[in-house]
Amino acid sequence: MMDCTSQLYLFLLFLLFQVRAIISVQEIQTDHETIMKINAAGEMMQCSARMDVLFLMDGSYSVGKGSFERCKHYAIKLSQALDIAADKVRVGVIQFGSTARLEIPLDAYTTKEELKKHLKKITYRGGSTQTGLALKYVLRKGFPSSGNSTVPRILILLSDGRSQGAVQLAATELKQTGVTLFAVGLRYPRWDELHELASTPTESHVFFAEHFHDAVNGLYTSLTMSDICTAIPSGCFMESYACERRTLETVKELVGTFMCWKGSRASTAYTSMCPHYKWSKKYKRHATVCHRTICQDPCDSQPCQNGGTCVSEGLDKYRCVCPPGYGSDPHCAPALNLDCSVDVLFLVEGSTELTLEGFLRFKAFLKRFFQTTMASGSPTKVGLAQYGDTVRMEARVGKHRDLAGLLTIVEAMKPVGGRPLTGAALQHVTMHGFQSTPVFADVYDDLPRVVVLLSATASADAVVEPAKYARDREVFLIAVGPDALKAQMNNITANPQRTITYPTADKLPGKIPELRTKICSVDNKGCLGQAVDLVFVLDASDGVGRENFVHLTDFVRSTSVQFDINRDVAQVGLVVYGRQPVTVFELDAHDSGSAIMRAVNSATFQGGAASTGSALLHVLSNSMTIGRGARPGVNKAVVVLTDGSGADDAAVPARKLRDNGVAVFAVGVGDAQADSLLKITGRVEHMVTAPLYEDLKYFEDVLVQMVCTEVKKPVELCRPNPCMNDGVCELRQRGFRCECRGGWEGPHCETRSRTRLANRGDQPKPAGMRRKEKKKSQKELKQRYRELRRRHAVKRH
């Protein structure tokens, strides 16, 4: 015999199994975007009409206190969208368990605030689920008939549908009196019962409270379809979707039979064939149709072109967040004309590895590109070459300035054949693909040179060194190819910003705007000619490591050459930091790019823990001051390169820098968290993240473009303060003036004043007085010396 504890334990396991064995799911069989629109529409729907709404809330033990609280929340949400007033919508509440109780009469409250306040006060009662008795209570006392017989009466039953006793007869009588009955399932509903209770058509009157916004939307949609009220907002419409309600139930199934013992008499045993059953879980499915209201999103028409992101701002407003190169148009439509002054050579693969279809696709792409971008009078000069195991120059750069000539050349191209020696082809066109055209006797037209590589197969030779050879000779490389060649093309361009990939060949024509943008971006490379005081701040802590610190210094070298370094245009300073910051060189220390590149070698690894905040304070109080080379009237920027580990103390110092007119940028490497970088920059637009230190080289142009855009903004002359020694900067009509304090003078309060008050005692004395005082002091010294010798002689005697 089992004791009471064991029996109780088995009973609890049985209850747990029963609860877990019945899991309901309502699924709206449509895409996630539509479901989001359903939820959004539910937030906006409002119902205004004369009607009586009565909530019949299941407060039994099978529902539980948690689901009862969600039931109250659902009732409150529905009520907030009703036009509650004495002559409009009246709302009442009945809670039932073993018995029914009128919690809020229909005529009790005439405002939403009062109703909401008292709905929250309703307490969970428990008891058995006597839904039938509750429906009879509604039939007798729920809707007072005096004066309201023509007003629509709505009963919203919120229950798990697990009633004890008969319910169908009471529900039928209630509906025959003209009451519209909605059934909203709670927790794990018994859908069969809820379908039988609800008004017809069932699909418009049964909902699932756990899908909160969908249930609100569906109920108001049904009220609108029944002409009770108009809850659908302007610009929205009703749609139908397939729905499925599923209940996971435990089912008993016959597996087979086996020989079993039935007993015995004397020496005879009695046996028979006994059935063998097993219990399994199966879904009971209730297929139906959901009628829901959705509001058309203005972004549904995809108004943003060229990869722009549409951001809806209401039912009829939107804005486009455009990628770089397309921001001048509200819909990210590009100005496709090649209106930049560059020399472009298209290098097209024509090897035997490339199929004839692939070669023809490249030809079609070139013809479409030229037709789209080559307007009359374009300053861009175009050339064409193809390669396999050799390079064939189809058209020299600038030879054909008219569209018809270029199209004829492209149409006549035949594959050159051979292995795809991409590296050799890049080196060949670097050496022989461009020529400087004399403009005057001793002046040559040295425009930026661009090679656009069109390739679809892996190179048969090395590409890294030939590509570096081209870049070292200021040939800008742009690579276009399939996704499978992305790694190879990144090695060629050394910058993923100049790599264009496509998933399938049919997507290649759509890359024309992007290619045009990348070609013309070369014409505006770097910040040459732009005045700026720029300080690089390098994380030299243990978090970065000694080996990775080398990559940071390489990044400074290659980035600084994209600025015009001299005393009148761009100045660059460098600070490294671990726990404490160290200035490697000040802003005015070097006046050429080559000197900067040599000076970076003196940056040493610090080690220890990182304190980015200390480094930024150091930059503010030392590097960005007039005494350390900062120039008034010049925009200032700070670039922090870090792994993000020491940025906890950076928020306040970085804000001080920004408040003083210094633009702050951050380049995070590795696992640097966006939150850490945001503490430094204060703006997502000033953040750059690289996955590896070796990948920093791919983000040089990105950072330069960000810095250049920022420093082209108007200068604030008094930010940071150009006045030294606590001087106050005052803006004037044509500049600024320093109001000096504490005995300082000069344009920036940089020198001590010579005019002092006599009682200070620090004004220089006349030369004659200085000579007299000197003789007097010498005479006194001699007198003291003789006195000391006399005393010494007396002691000896």
Side-chain angles (χ1 to χ4, degrees):
M1 295 291 292
M2 291 187 297
D3 58 15
C4 293
T5 303
S6 300
Q7 293 181 18
L8 178 61
Y9 177 74
L10 291 176
F11 178 71
L12 291 174
L13 284 178
F14 173 77
L15 289 180
L16 179 62
F17 176 79
Q18 292 300 315
V19 170
R20 295 185 61 186
I22 307 173
I23 302 173
S24 67
V25 177
Q26 174 176 281
E27 179 182 351
I28 302 176
Q29 297 170 335
T30 185
D31 58 276
H32 177 72
E33 183 179 352
T34 301
I35 293 175
M36 296 302 292
K37 291 179 181 178
I38 289 172
N39 294 347
E43 291 284 339
M44 295 185 293
M45 299 178 79
Q46 297 284 323
C47 185
S48 177
R50 290 194 66 195
M51 62 177 170
D52 289 344
V53 177
L54 188 61
F55 290 101
L56 184 59
M57 301 168 62
D58 188 344
S60 65
Y61 290 136
S62 64
V63 169
K65 191 174 187 306
S67 292
F68 183 75
E69 291 300 321
R70 287 194 293 275
C71 169
K72 285 166 54 178
H73 180 63
Y74 182 79
I76 290 171
K77 177 61 181 177
L78 278 172
S79 301
Q80 292 302 299
L82 295 172
D83 188 7
I84 296 175
D87 58 344
K88 287 288 186 179
V89 183
R90 300 191 307 171
V91 176
V93 179
I94 295 174
Q95 180 185 178
F96 72 94
S98 301
T99 60
R101 176 179 176 179
L102 182 62
E103 301 281 0
I104 300 177
L106 279 170
D107 57 355
Y109 306 110
T110 57
T111 66
K112 296 179 183 179
E113 291 73 20
E114 290 178 329
L115 179 64
K116 180 178 180 180
K117 177 181 177 181
H118 286 83
L119 268 170
K120 288 183 176 181
K121 291 181 179 180
I122 297 176
T123 57
Y124 172 67
R125 298 179 63 199
S128 60
T129 311
Q130 297 294 339
T131 310
L133 294 179
L135 292 174
K136 291 178 180 178
Y137 182 88
V138 173
L139 192 61
R140 295 193 312 270
K141 300 182 179 181
F143 294 100
S145 59
S146 57
N148 287 325
S149 58
T150 60
V151 174
R153 291 171 294 168
I154 311 296
L155 178 65
I156 302 174
L157 171 64
L158 296 110
S159 172
D160 62 358
R162 301 186 176 279
S163 304
Q164 297 170 359
V167 296
Q168 184 60 44
L169 181 61
T172 301
E173 291 180 6
L174 192 62
K175 287 183 284 187
Q176 286 175 349
T177 64
V179 175
T180 303
L181 200 159
F182 290 92
V184 181
L186 298 174
R187 202 176 181 186
Y188 308 120
R190 182 178 292 163
W191 292 112
D192 289 337
E193 180 175 312
L194 295 181
H195 288 176
E196 291 176 357
L197 293 177
S199 297
T200 56
T202 304
E203 63 268 15
S204 300
H205 293 82
V206 177
F207 308 104
F208 188 38
E210 303 299 324
H211 295 174
F212 178 73
H213 295 292
D214 168 70
V216 171
N217 185 317
L219 193 143
Y220 282 128
T221 301
S222 297
L223 292 178
T224 303
M225 293 170 62
S226 302
D227 295 328
I228 294 175
C229 67
T230 304
I232 297 180
S234 176
C236 303
F237 54 93
M238 189 270 291
E239 284 194 2
S240 300
Y241 301 96
C243 294
E244 186 179 76
R245 298 186 178 101
R246 295 176 293 176
T247 302
L248 187 62
E249 297 183 347
T250 302
V251 179
K252 182 179 179 182
E253 292 182 333
L254 177 65
V255 177
T257 59
F258 66 97
M259 186 72 67
C260 61
W261 180 68
K262 290 292 187 178
S264 63
R265 180 177 298 174
S267 60
T268 305
Y270 294 93
T271 61
S272 66
M273 301 299 295
C274 298
H276 173 56
Y277 296 95
K278 73 172 184 178
W279 296 88
S280 61
K281 295 179 180 180
K282 289 190 175 181
Y283 279 112
K284 187 174 183 180
R285 302 175 183 271
H286 304 271
T288 183
V289 177
C290 290
H291 305 287
R292 301 293 184 264
T293 295
I294 66 171
C295 298
Q296 191 70 31
D297 194 290
C299 292
D300 287 346
S301 61
Q302 299 181 346
C304 305
Q305 305 176 32
N306 302 300
T309 302
C310 181
V311 180
S312 60
E313 297 178 337
L315 292 178
D316 56 354
K317 294 182 180 179
Y318 66 91
R319 60 184 175 88
C320 293
V321 180
C322 302
Y326 301 97
S328 60
D329 186 87
H331 296 92
C332 310
L336 288 181
N337 291 339
L338 279 172
D339 53 0
C340 47
S341 298
V342 294
D343 289 349
V344 183
L345 177 64
F346 287 86
L347 180 60
V348 185
E349 180 185 355
S351 70
T352 53
E353 298 290 331
L354 182 68
T355 63
L356 179 60
E357 180 185 3
F359 185 75
L360 295 176
R361 283 187 182 275
F362 281 154
K363 288 178 59 174
F365 175 78
L366 286 172
K367 288 192 291 185
R368 187 168 176 179
F369 181 85
F370 293 147
Q371 290 170 337
T372 304
T373 63
M374 293 298 293
S376 59
S378 172
T380 304
K381 293 185 294 184
V382 177
L384 184 60
Q386 69 157 308
Y387 75 96
D389 54 3
T390 60
V391 177
R392 179 192 297 165
M393 295 299 299
E394 304 286 355
R396 291 284 176 185
V397 175
K399 181 178 180 180
H400 296 277
R401 303 299 293 268
D402 62 306
L403 177 60
L406 282 172
L407 295 179
T408 301
I409 295 295
V410 174
E411 188 63 39
M413 284 175 57
K414 303 294 182 184
V416 69
R419 295 187 304 154
L421 302 180
T422 310
L426 289 172
Q427 186 157 348
H428 179 88
V429 296
T430 300
M431 298 172 61
H432 308 291
F434 300 91
Q435 57 184 1
S436 297
T437 305
V439 179
F440 298 105
D442 57 349
V443 178
Y444 286 83
D445 182 11
D446 289 326
L447 297 176
R449 298 174 174 182
V450 182
V451 171
V452 178
L453 173 66
L454 291 174
S455 174
T457 63
S459 176
D461 62 347
V463 297
V464 175
E465 289 301 323
K468 186 176 184 301
Y469 176 85
R471 297 194 303 271
D472 290 344
R473 282 149 186 80
E474 297 185 352
V475 174
F476 301 100
L477 302 177
I478 299 173
V480 182
D483 290 342
L485 290 185
K486 187 174 183 178
Q488 174 181 292
M489 292 189 294
N490 283 342
N491 286 332
I492 292 172
T493 63
N495 187 343
Q497 301 298 318
R498 295 202 179 114
T499 297
I500 301 175
T501 62
Y502 49 87
T504 55
D506 60 306
K507 303 295 184 182
L508 178 58
K511 301 297 180 179
I512 289 176
E514 185 178 357
L515 177 57
R516 180 264 167 202
T517 299
K518 293 187 185 302
I519 291 174
C520 284
S521 67
V522 171
D523 193 22
N524 299 314
K525 182 181 181 297
C527 268
L528 301 179
Q530 179 62 44
V532 60
D533 285 345
L534 175 62
V535 177
F536 288 94
V537 181
L538 307 188
D539 187 342
S541 67
D542 288 336
V544 172
R546 190 178 300 275
E547 293 182 359
N548 293 327
F549 182 71
V550 175
H551 292 290
L552 300 187
T553 56
D554 289 343
F555 183 86
V556 174
R557 291 189 192 92
S558 55
T559 305
S560 60
V561 298
Q562 300 192 44
F563 295 87
D564 194 356
I565 307 295
N566 62 64
R567 302 292 188 205
D568 300 321
V569 186
Q571 292 187 153
V572 173
L574 179 60
V575 172
V576 299
Y577 71 95
R579 186 174 298 277
Q580 298 295 330
V582 176
T583 298
V584 180
F585 53 84
E586 304 287 3
L587 283 166
D588 59 351
H590 305 287
D591 59 358
S592 67
S594 58
I596 293 290
M597 296 182 72
R598 289 192 299 270
V600 173
N601 294 330
S602 59
T604 57
F605 180 72
Q606 303 293 306
S611 175
T612 308
S614 298
L616 294 176
L617 285 176
H618 177 83
V619 171
L620 177 61
S621 58
N622 291 274
S623 302
M624 290 298 179
T625 60
I626 298 295
R628 302 298 176 91
R631 298 165 295 175
V634 175
N635 275 320
K636 294 164 177 58
V638 171
V639 176
V640 181
L641 286 91
T642 178
D643 68 341
S645 59
D648 292 339
D649 61 349
V652 174
R655 190 184 307 116
K656 287 183 178 180
L657 272 170
R658 298 194 300 269
D659 291 344
N660 278 277
V662 181
V664 182
F665 302 85
V667 180
V669 189
D671 296 329
Q673 299 296 320
D675 292 343
S676 299
L677 300 184
L678 191 60
K679 290 179 181 179
I680 299 173
T681 65
R683 295 173 57 185
V684 176
E685 297 82 3
H686 285 187
M687 293 162 42
V688 177
T689 55
L692 301 171
Y693 287 89
E694 293 81 358
D695 295 335
L696 277 172
K697 59 185 178 182
Y698 300 140
F699 298 91
E700 295 166 4
D701 289 354
V702 177
L703 175 68
V704 171
Q705 183 180 7
M706 290 164 53
V707 174
C708 192
T709 301
E710 190 67 25
V711 300
K712 286 180 179 178
K713 294 181 179 179
V715 180
E716 298 184 48
L717 294 176
C718 286
R719 295 178 61 199
N721 188 3
C723 308
M724 302 170 63
N725 301 304
D726 296 326
V728 179
C729 179
E730 297 179 354
L731 287 174
R732 300 300 176 106
Q733 186 174 4
R734 296 185 178 180
F736 70 94
R737 176 181 179 276
C738 285
E739 183 69 29
C740 301
R741 298 178 178 180
W744 296 92
E745 63 181 10
H748 302 288
C749 307
E750 69 276 12
T751 59
R752 284 279 188 182
S753 173
R754 294 182 177 274
T755 303
R756 300 295 178 95
L757 296 175
N759 61 2
R760 295 275 307 261
D762 53 1
Q763 190 169 357
K765 296 180 179 179
M769 185 178 294
R770 290 200 300 270
R771 284 195 295 271
K772 287 180 180 179
E773 289 184 350
K774 184 177 182 180
K775 289 180 180 180
K776 181 180 178 181
S777 62
Q778 290 176 349
K779 184 177 179 181
E780 289 177 350
L781 286 173
K782 289 179 180 180
Q783 183 67 26
R784 291 185 63 188
Y785 176 72
R786 286 195 294 268
E787 183 67 25
L788 287 172
R789 290 199 57 179
R790 187 164 52 251
R791 291 178 182 176
H792 183 68
V794 171
K795 288 180 179 180
R796 289 180 63 185
H797 291 292

